[in-house]
Amino acid sequence: MAEKIAKFPHGFIWGTATAAYQIEGAWNEDGKGESIWDRFCRIPGNVQDGDRGDIACDHYHLYRDDIKLMKTLSLNVYRFSIAWPRIFPQGKGGINQRGLDFYERLVDELLDAGIEPFVTLYHWDLPQALQEEGGWANRDTVGYFKDYAAQVSKRLGDRVHYWITHNEPWVTSFAGHHSGILAPRIKSLPTALKVSHHLLLSHGEAVAVLRDNGDEKTRLGITLNLSPAHPASESKEDKEAATRFDGYLNRWFLDPIYKGSYPEDMMILYGDKAPKIRAQDLERISAKIDFLGVNYYSRQVIKADTKEAFLGLSQVKPADTEYTEMDSEIYPAGLYEILKRIHNDYDAPLMYITENGAAFSDKIDKNGQVNDKSRIKYLKSHFLQAHKAIEDGVKLSGYFVWSLMDNFEWALGYSKRFGLIYVDYPTQKRIIKASGWMYKKVIEKNGIEI
Ligand code: FCB
């Protein structure tokens, strides 16, 4: 039987994503300052098994070898983040040139390998010194972020064309400042909402400065974690609860960026806890961007729950379906749904999937291989949903698998493996998993066998 291939459009780009704190290590080398994650990991009980990112994948020293592996995988693009405290150890003031030197070497090495860099400016590792002054709850941090964006783009802007201001501001806001499960471990709803506003504002300010420092090739965007919110039943209460969850997770970030306003239902719901918005803030937040980065892992199933004071809802775990090691439901159709929805509701923006992937308990077999069949199945089923979205008119231009290699999964430490490449932490040996070899084929064919 002839092999059937779902082909992606010419020029579609395939890559992987990582984040500085999750892979670099070298936490205090070459003048780097302390970040809120360096601090968070040192407090017992914050991270599973007491793990921390001091060494992680030692990518700071092994980046050349890692880029060779990227080449082996035939990646077109690579998304990574810059650690703000490497550039400004105190978050502001004196610049640390050695920090910029590292990212310059990394970018040059990528370009030599024919791999286009996508740079994220903020993937959660705020300089601790700024946290001491209130962190993202302090409006001055917006200006410091703008200065940081200015300095980085001044040095790298001639070679880096793709910039992502923030990774998942919802996580920084709510996981960092409301549930407090991530750094900086604050538990206050008004603070979380204020933080979300400052993050969005800093995005707008960074866009302005990156545009000024850029040229005709510069492309700017932001990455959001988005999920469809499905009601657990057909009841009016569950449907309204799902709408509230959608407002909280998706529209709270999409609306200000694309419509220049916060969703009215959520402003009413948050009431006096809602952030104070100054004149021109929303205009700055809605500065024109060139693409939206979508991180998709799963959907959310929501039921009304009056016992839950915050949004009056709780999440439901559907039965008779599969889950990843992160206990997240495997739901590929949600990727199509969220892409189509953004296309319809937000004026058909150009999009990249900037993260998609799954953790499974990978094992090295007796031949020294990692045969991660579940990940292959997960990824292929999601690629096909992306393909379907493109066929239905969605402007999707690329796909980044999370992650290039196993790494430090935040509060879960090294217990969760997301990589296309297995990392043996004690020896720092890398093994390309079966999913990595599968991905290479997908990239080379620009399509998936079905
Ligand atoms: C996303 C994060 C990324 C990684 C994946 C699994 O929310 O952006 O750093 O932890 O989840």
Side-chain angles (χ1 to χ4, degrees), residues 351-413:
M351 291 186 268
Y352 296 100
I353 294 161
T354 40
E355 285 181 30
N356 172 247
F360 293 105
S361 59
D362 302 317
K363 297 276 176 307
I364 304 177
D365 67 19
K366 56 180 187 311
N367 305 316
Q369 305 294 310
V370 180
N371 193 4
D372 54 341
K373 290 202 188 78
S374 311
R375 185 171 292 101
I376 292 179
K377 189 173 161 209
Y378 178 99
L379 288 173
K380 279 192 169 175
S381 59
H382 286 77
F383 295 161
L384 286 172
Q385 294 292 326
H387 185 264
K388 184 173 159 209
I390 296 170
E391 290 206 312
D392 289 352
V394 169
K395 292 186 204 146
L396 182 70
S397 295
Y399 207 115
F400 295 75
V401 169
W402 184 271
S403 180
L404 173 69
M405 56 188 159
D406 298 336
N407 58 47
F408 177 83
E409 178 49 32
W410 309 112
L412 298 170

Side-chain angles (χ1 to χ4, degrees), residues 18-19 22 79 123-124 167-168 171 225 295 297 326 355 402 407-410 418:
T18 61
Q22 295 180 275
R79 173 179 176 234
H123 202 128
W124 308 353
N167 178 69
E168 303 187 346
V171 173
N225 52 307
N295 288 0
Y297 289 92
M326 295 287 278
E355 285 181 30
W402 184 271
N407 58 47
F408 177 83
E409 178 49 32
W410 309 112
F418 272 92

Side-chain angles (χ1 to χ4, degrees), residues 65 129 137 228 317 344:
D65 298 329
K317 268 187 76 177
N344 291 340

